């Protein structure tokens, strides 16, 4: 896939040679297992190395897998080993669920104020360990330290937000049609919840779910992704320090056994709710498995966000918005712009300003302060981006900046990098119009009328976020209402924060996370009818 056009000189190249188990650099595209951890944490550069845990967390104890097998975790920028976590299976998951069920007997009966205070302690610990937590995110996910610090702030904000929601889970009194009856509705925690999270926000996707669950009085079994388990385990450690009782939070790590673990988390009768963020195909499979016990579900699945620039937009603001929206996390967020539609009369201006800015990006190791964009998570992610670019170019798109040349050299870079790329004149038949790319490709498509672009934007099975830039107030309302998505950004490329109801329509998911509705997903309503008055 190398040499890369416009690729920054800071990235090192080496001749590709087959690797052996003894090699320290291992590709993320391959699964590696071994029987014991030999990696120590002193080279992580943390102020508090005890935040690094290489074991699962069940019933307040750090535990290995029953069979002793482990998963190797590597840094996507350097391919160096970071450490190992246990390869657990359904048996360990069952134990974790039982621990969560036992803990629910007491945690579910605590006062909202008690849970508020613990969540605030947990939030403050995340602030206190801000630098270390950000560094862990960068080392295992690859995003730049600046972005990782942003994620830690975002992640901690869910604990603060839900602490404040915990004490406001009001019920209601409903007027009865009968004179001798009074109706009261109370809210109760749903019980044990299964939480399955992705690698693109190793910390924030956990707290967005866990904060709500704990605030509501639920207990949890969490399966973090195998690529980024250390942020999750550090959160478990901080929750322990904050006083979250044993069994309330449990973490089961797995890679090879993911299907069996997922099945246990969805099919167990003890679990009352499943919350998942990840791809639409996996979401459907978890939904099917959860159907056997009719569980409550929260699903935040794939997006294919349209981003529209109308001719009355502030073009400079639209370019800034596109950069923020498209290249956040090197294009690896569910709400990243995937299809950028630009009205014909401003197309050339927008395209050249965007390309000029993207050409200044510096791709590299996220720990390097001069790096603006980190690697993709693994080689499979790079392959998908390569496929989308090749397909678009074959169909007539042209590369304004970035892109790649066909692999003729047998040279392999260290790290799973792809250069930030701008493609112009992307035909609507290109694969990236239908599939979420999850990479740093800005795909520009020309349009003529509002009606035409709304039809193109809505021509998708998914509908998570959509963005558009316009200064016409009538158009702003019309287009915001017409887009078939759960969240709209007008004249902004960044919509996420703890206070909004995050979620999608169509095949992008079920339910909302964050906002005042986020905690409701973890509560049941119960009617108490007082008769015989
Ligand atoms: C996601 O990519 O799933 C979440 C993005 C966000 O919270 O902004």
């Amino acid at each position: 896939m190398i040499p890369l056009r416009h690729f920054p000189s800071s990235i090192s190249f080496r001749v590709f040679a087959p690797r052996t188990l003894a090699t320290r650099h291992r590709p993320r595209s391959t699964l590696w297992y071994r029987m014991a951890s030999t990696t120590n944490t002193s080279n992580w550069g943390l102020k508090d190395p005890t935040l690094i845990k290489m074991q699962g967390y069940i019933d307040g104890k750090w535990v290995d897998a029953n069979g002793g097998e482990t998963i190797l975790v590597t840094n996507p920028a350097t391919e160096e080993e970071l450490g190992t976590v246990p390869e657990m299976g359904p048996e360990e998951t069952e134990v974790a669920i039982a621990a969560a069920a036992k803990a629910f007997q007491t945690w579910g009966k605590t006062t909202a104020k008690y849970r508020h205070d613990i969540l605030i302690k947990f939030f403050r610990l995340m602030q206190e360990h801000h630098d270390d937590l950000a560094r862990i995110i960068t080392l295992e996910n690859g995003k730049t330290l600046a972005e990782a610090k942003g994620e830690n702030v975002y992640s901690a904000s869910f604990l603060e937000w839900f602490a404040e929601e915990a004490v406001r889970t009001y019920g209601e009194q409903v007027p009865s049609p009968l004179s001798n009856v009074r109706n009261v509705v109370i809210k109760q925690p749903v019980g044990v919840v299964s939480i399955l999270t992705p690698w693109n926000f190793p910390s924030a996707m956990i707290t967005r779910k866990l904060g709500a669950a704990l605030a509501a009085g639920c207990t949890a079994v969490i399966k973090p992704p195998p690529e980024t388990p250390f942020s999750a385990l550090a959160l478990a450690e901080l929750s322990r320090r904050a006083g979250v009782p044993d069994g309330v939070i449990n973490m089961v790590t797995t890679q090879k056994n993911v299907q069996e673990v997922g099945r246990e988390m969805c099919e167990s009768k003890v679990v009352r709710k499943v919350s998942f963020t990840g791809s639409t195909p996996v979401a459907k499979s978890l939904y099917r498995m959860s159907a056997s016990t009719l569980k409550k579900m929260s699903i935040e699945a794939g997006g294919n966000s349209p981003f529209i620039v109308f001719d009355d937009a502030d073009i400079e603001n639209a370019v800034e918005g596109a950069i923020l929206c498209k290249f956040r996390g090197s294009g690896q967020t569910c709400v990243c712009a995937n299809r950028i539609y630009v009205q014909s009369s401003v197309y050339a201006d927008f395209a050249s300003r965007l390309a000029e800015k993207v050409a200044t990006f510096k791709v590299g190791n996220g720990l390097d302060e001069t790096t603006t964009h980190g690697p993709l998570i693994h080689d499979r992610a790079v392959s998908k981006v390569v496929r989308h670019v090749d397909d678009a170019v074959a169909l007539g798109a042209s590369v304004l900046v970035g892109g790649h040349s066909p692999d003729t050299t047998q040279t392999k870079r260290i790290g799973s990098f792809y250069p930030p790329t701008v493609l112009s004149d992307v035909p609507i038949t290109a694969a990236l119009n239908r599939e979420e790319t999850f990479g740093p490709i800005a795909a520009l498509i020309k349009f003529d009328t509002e009606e035409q672009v709304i039809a193109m934007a809505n021509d998708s099975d998914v509908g998570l976020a959509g963005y558009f830039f316009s200064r016409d107030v009538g158009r702003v309302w019309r287009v915001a209402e017409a887009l078939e998505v759960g969240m709209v950004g007008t004249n902004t490329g960044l919509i996420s924060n703890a206070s909004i109801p995050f979620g999608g329509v169509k095949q992008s998911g079920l339910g909302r996370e964050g906002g005042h509705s986020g905690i409701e997903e973890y509560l049941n309503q119960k009617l108490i009818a007082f008769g015989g008055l």
Side-chain angles (χ1 to χ4, degrees):
M1 164 183 90
I2 301 299
L4 300 170
R5 227 180 297 159
H6 302 294
F7 206 76
S9 55
S10 63
I11 301 299
S12 50
F13 292 83
R14 65 190 163 78
V15 174
F16 179 78
R19 299 181 179 103
T20 66
L21 261 178
T23 314
R24 280 195 66 79
H25 301 301
R26 294 191 180 133
R28 284 198 155 202
S29 49
T30 314
L31 311 184
W32 298 92
Y33 299 97
R34 51 185 196 178
M35 298 304 286
S37 169
T38 54
T39 312
N40 75 48
T41 56
S42 58
N43 55 355
W44 285 57
L46 303 188
K47 292 176 205 148
D48 179 358
T50 65
L51 286 176
I52 300 300
K53 300 291 178 198
M54 298 202 183
Q55 290 175 298
Y57 186 64
I58 298 179
D59 206 8
K61 293 172 202 64
W62 296 104
V63 288
D64 292 321
N66 291 348
E69 215 176 357
T70 58
I71 307 157
L72 182 62
V73 184
T74 57
N75 177 336
T78 62
E79 296 183 7
E80 284 166 340
E81 289 179 18
L82 291 172
T84 61
V85 291
E87 175 60 66
M88 293 176 152
E91 280 175 22
E92 294 91 329
T93 310
E94 208 182 323
V95 175
I97 291 171
K102 187 165 124 250
F104 179 67
Q105 298 309 318
T106 42
W107 181 256
K109 295 189 180 74
T110 55
T111 63
K113 172 75 171 94
Y114 177 81
R115 298 194 296 274
H116 163 278
D117 291 352
I118 288 193
L119 279 166
I120 290 295
K121 267 192 216 156
F122 192 178
F123 162 66
R124 297 226 165 97
L125 283 167
M126 286 190 73
Q127 290 181 313
E128 210 175 287
H129 294 279
H130 177 68
D131 289 342
D132 281 354
L133 294 172
R135 201 173 167 87
I136 297 170
I137 291 172
T138 295
L139 284 167
E140 63 182 359
N141 167 281
K143 66 178 71 174
T144 63
L145 211 42
E147 281 190 298
K149 286 182 180 172
E151 176 173 348
N152 192 56
V153 170
Y154 182 42
S155 180
S157 76
F158 286 109
L159 299 182
E160 184 189 36
W161 174 266
F162 284 115
E164 290 163 358
E165 286 295 296
V167 291
R168 308 205 201 290
T169 50
Y170 305 128
E172 58 184 347
Q173 188 258 321
V174 183
S176 168
L178 305 173
S179 62
N180 63 344
V181 173
R182 300 289 179 273
N183 288 325
V184 171
V185 179
I186 64 164
K187 292 185 182 170
Q188 295 183 304
V190 299
V192 176
V193 301
S194 290
I195 292 177
L196 300 100
T197 58
W199 46 260
N200 64 340
F201 287 89
S203 175
M205 292 306 101
I206 292 180
T207 53
R208 185 152 79 184
K209 299 168 191 306
L210 182 64
L214 296 185
C218 297
T219 57
V221 176
I222 302 169
K223 189 207 78 61
E227 294 87 350
T228 60
F230 293 119
S231 296
L233 295 165
L235 287 178
E237 169 61 12
L238 291 183
S239 74
R240 194 189 59 74
R241 295 184 196 176
V244 175
D246 293 353
V248 171
I249 296 174
N250 304 274
M251 289 211 186
V252 176
T253 51
T254 185
Q255 182 172 54
K256 198 170 61 174
N257 301 324
V258 66
Q259 289 203 340
E260 293 80 358
V261 168
R263 181 172 296 283
E264 185 64 34
M265 291 175 85
C266 292
E267 290 188 349
S268 162
K269 284 190 185 155
V270 179
V271 173
R272 295 310 316 144
K273 176 184 170 72
V274 175
S275 179
F276 169 73
T277 294
S279 74
T280 299
V282 175
K284 286 180 184 174
S285 140
L286 298 175
Y287 199 20
R288 270 193 293 271
M289 289 194 266
S290 302
S292 61
T293 48
L294 276 188
K295 287 189 182 27
K296 269 171 101 88
M297 294 285 291
S298 293
I299 294 176
E300 196 254 283
N304 178 5
S305 304
F307 182 104
I308 306 168
V309 184
F310 287 101
D311 55 9
D312 58 63
D314 173 339
I315 300 298
E316 199 48 36
N317 186 35
V319 169
E320 290 303 329
I323 285 171
L324 210 59
C325 182
K326 175 66 254 183
F327 294 100
R328 178 173 169 229
S330 293
Q332 300 174 108
T333 87
C334 294
V335 288
C336 274
N338 204 49
R339 304 166 280 157
I340 303 181
Y341 300 109
V342 188
Q343 203 152 13
S344 312
S345 58
V346 293
Y347 186 89
D349 185 22
F350 178 86
S352 71
R353 291 202 219 185
L354 181 67
E356 197 181 314
K357 292 234 158 92
V358 172
T360 66
F361 291 175
K362 183 167 176 278
V363 177
N365 186 332
L367 291 182
D368 177 346
E369 279 182 7
T370 64
T371 295
T372 60
H373 292 81
L376 301 192
I377 191 70
H378 41 44
D379 288 350
R380 290 192 309 285
V382 177
S383 302
K384 183 171 188 192
V385 173
V386 168
R387 176 167 68 75
H388 276 187
V389 172
D390 285 351
D391 169 74
V393 169
L395 290 169
S398 45
V399 179
L400 296 187
V401 61
H404 63 276
S405 298
D407 182 7
T408 51
T409 61
Q410 283 297 295
T411 312
K412 169 78 174 77
R413 282 171 293 109
I414 293 172
S416 41
F417 290 95
Y418 192 91
T421 295
V422 180
L423 299 179
S424 82
D425 300 311
V426 175
I428 54 164
T429 49
L432 56 70
N433 276 304
R434 293 183 308 281
E435 297 171 28
E436 187 178 30
T437 303
F438 236 64
I441 311 301
L444 308 188
I445 302 154
K446 215 176 272 176
F447 74 91
D448 292 313
T449 66
E450 185 180 311
E451 199 180 32
Q452 179 198 14
V453 77
I454 287 172
M456 291 198 291
N458 289 341
D459 184 18
S460 173
D461 289 337
V462 293
L464 189 57
Y467 309 83
F468 66 94
F469 285 69
S470 167
R471 283 177 291 190
D472 174 333
V473 70
R475 171 175 275 164
V476 167
W477 272 108
R478 276 196 308 277
V479 178
E481 287 179 358
L483 288 177
E484 294 171 358
V485 294
M487 298 171 286
V488 174
T490 68
N491 298 314
T492 177
L494 190 65
I495 51 175
S496 305
N497 62 69
S499 68
I500 63 158
F502 193 103
V505 298
K506 297 177 167 175
Q507 295 183 31
S508 281
L510 297 171
R512 292 293 179 268
E513 298 192 298
H516 65 79
S517 44
I519 196 168
E520 299 295 333
E521 305 270 340
Y522 295 85
L523 291 167
N524 286 327
Q525 294 194 23
K526 181 184 278 179
L527 165 75
I528 306 177
F530 293 81
L533 299 182

